[in-house]
Amino acid sequence: MICYDCCFLVILDAMESQPLFQSRIGLGTWQMGEDPSQAKAECAAIAHALAVGYRLIDTAEMYADGVAESLVGKALGPFASSRRTEVTLVSKVLPHHANKSGTIKACEATLRRMQCDYLDHYLLHWQGSHSYESTIEGFLTLQARGLIRHFGVSNFDLEALQRWRVAEENVGSSSHSQSNQVYYALNQRGIEFDLLPAMNKLNIALMAYSPLGTGNLAQHAGLALLAAEHGLSAAQLALAWILRHPHAVAIPKSTHLARIEENWQASQIQLSATTLTQLDALFISPTRASRLAII
Ligand SMILES: NC(=O)c1ccc[n+]([C@@H]2O[C@H](COP(=O)([O-])OP(=O)(O)OC[C@H]3O[C@@H](n4cnc5c(N)ncnc54)[C@H](OP(=O)(O)O)[C@@H]3O)[C@@H](O)[C@H]2O)c1
């Protein structure tokens, strides 16, 4: 394993010469905010992630009905004001809110809960019944008002992504979706066959959700064995494997302070060709198109 400075791989946003993502490991917040008795610890976990170096936080209006966003808001501290440009904040609009006016209202509510002035990435959480054009119009209005820097999608397969690009053209948008947040992990490699190559061609960054296979990979015996040979944990190896894609970020969720640190260290690991081959033997890459895995 070779360590390197992760800043070297910061992904630059051509429009503003600001990074698209301020760190390649981000903190997921799904399932935070659901139990009020855990709120203090969850808020402390988010603050700890920021203290350790995480500069990417993923949340959504759906998570605990907005409570996860509120927890992020409480934990941000100076990252909501004087240090705001140092962190990449991502949230998502629910599909049933995602017509033009609903998207705008949902974003305004998210910003109030997160106690900040703008989001870096605002995503359509998954496809719903509103036209892509109306969602894009909402995103463009938010962008023009400075309330979001970028927009994007989540859980979009190849066909949906191509239709979204057509919709962007239909509304005459000069901005494009910058990211697609999809399930991608060692045990969920389906997107490698067709979606990921298409995203690379379209300059759409991969935000890998559930990068630990919702936690299963951290318990995987074969992965743990291989990881131990390199002095790593199974979780670290699973995350470093995702980051072999130069434009990918991964957003593992944890509320354990030690695991938050453990996961963060994955951003400083570069895997050798031999290790990648060993991982290919454990987790087979796809040989044909498959339905997009969605949680
Ligand atoms: N766009 C979408 O539709 C969508 C869907 C799913 C998820 N997401 C996003 O992606 C984020 C991550 O996905 P996820 O939460 O489903 O799954 P994940 O990050 O793959 O796994 C999270 C699970 O792994 C455990 N864990 C974390 N680090 C660990 C470590 N180092 N060792 C052992 N166990 C560890 C966590 O438990 P502890 O907390 O107890 O450590 C939790 O149970 C979500 O929080 C959310 O922000 C987006």
Side-chain angles (χ1 to χ4, degrees):
M1 310 284 163
I2 305 160
C3 287
Y4 60 87
D5 180 351
C6 61
C7 300
F8 171 63
L9 278 176
V10 157
I11 300 159
L12 288 180
D13 163 19
M15 291 288 288
E16 303 173 32
S17 64
Q18 265 203 18
L20 201 51
F21 300 103
Q22 297 276 11
S23 66
R24 302 195 65 209
I25 293 285
L27 186 72
T29 62
W30 180 39
Q31 291 169 324
M32 292 194 196
E34 288 174 2
D35 176 354
S37 74
Q38 295 303 309
K40 209 169 156 195
E42 289 166 347
C43 198
I46 301 167
H48 186 68
L50 289 164
V52 164
Y54 286 63
R55 292 292 179 266
L56 167 62
I57 311 253
D58 178 72
T59 189
E61 63 169 336
M62 187 193 89
Y63 300 165
D65 278 335
V67 181
E69 290 181 331
S70 300
L71 289 177
V72 174
K74 279 194 192 117
L76 281 174
F79 290 98
S81 49
S82 56
R83 301 184 65 185
R84 176 64 189 86
T85 56
E86 293 176 36
V87 67
T88 304
L89 297 179
V90 182
S91 192
K92 313 180 200 85
V93 59
L94 280 164
H96 64 266
H97 288 160
N99 60 8
K100 181 178 176 182
S101 62
T103 300
I104 296 166
K105 264 191 217 148
C107 183
E108 289 168 342
T110 285
L111 289 171
R112 277 195 296 275
R113 287 189 290 269
M114 293 179 70
Q115 303 177 44
C116 56
D117 295 335
Y118 68 94
L119 294 172
D120 296 280
H121 296 261
Y122 196 39
L123 315 182
L124 174 59
H125 207 147
W126 65 88
Q127 305 180 58
S129 57
H130 293 298
S131 71
Y132 292 167
E133 282 82 355
S134 63
T135 309
I136 293 165
E137 282 170 357
F139 284 157
L140 291 175
T141 305
L142 290 166
Q143 220 172 22
R145 289 174 55 194
L147 300 186
I148 63 172
R149 284 180 60 223
H150 304 291
F151 60 82
V153 293
S154 176
N155 295 304
F156 267 42
D157 63 14
L158 181 55
E159 196 215 328
L161 211 54
Q162 285 164 340
R163 284 194 290 117
W164 179 272
R165 190 45 76 93
V166 171
E168 287 172 342
E169 282 163 20
N170 289 345
V171 300
S173 171
S174 55
S175 306
H176 297 293
S177 169
Q178 294 291 315
S179 59
N180 187 14
Q181 186 179 114
V182 288
Y183 190 3
Y184 183 56
L186 271 166
N187 55 353
Q188 281 296 347
R189 299 183 61 168
I191 65 165
E192 289 173 19
F193 188 79
D194 51 3
L195 183 60
L196 197 49
M199 284 166 55
N200 288 338
K201 265 194 203 144
L202 293 168
N203 266 330
I204 294 177
L206 167 65
M207 247 190 262
Y209 78 62
S210 304
L212 301 175
T214 69
N216 293 330
L217 288 171
Q219 319 300 332
H220 190 285
L223 184 61
L225 210 60
L226 180 58
E229 286 174 21
H230 298 287
L232 302 173
S233 69
Q236 288 174 325
L237 186 50
L239 295 171
W241 174 82
I242 288 173
L243 301 188
R244 78 198 188 288
H245 294 291
H247 301 299
V249 295
I251 48 169
K253 173 261 175 188
S254 182
T255 48
H256 286 250
L257 306 191
R259 288 177 177 176
I260 286 172
E261 292 175 29
E262 176 187 331
N263 296 345
W264 173 248
Q265 284 157 14
S267 56
Q268 285 159 37
I269 297 160
Q270 192 172 31
L271 302 178
S272 67
T274 311
T275 308
L276 291 174
T277 307
Q278 289 168 316
L279 286 168
D280 281 340
L282 273 178
F283 302 94
I284 310 297
S285 64
T287 51
R288 58 190 150 93
S290 58
R291 209 184 174 81
L292 180 66
I294 291 180
I295 289 186

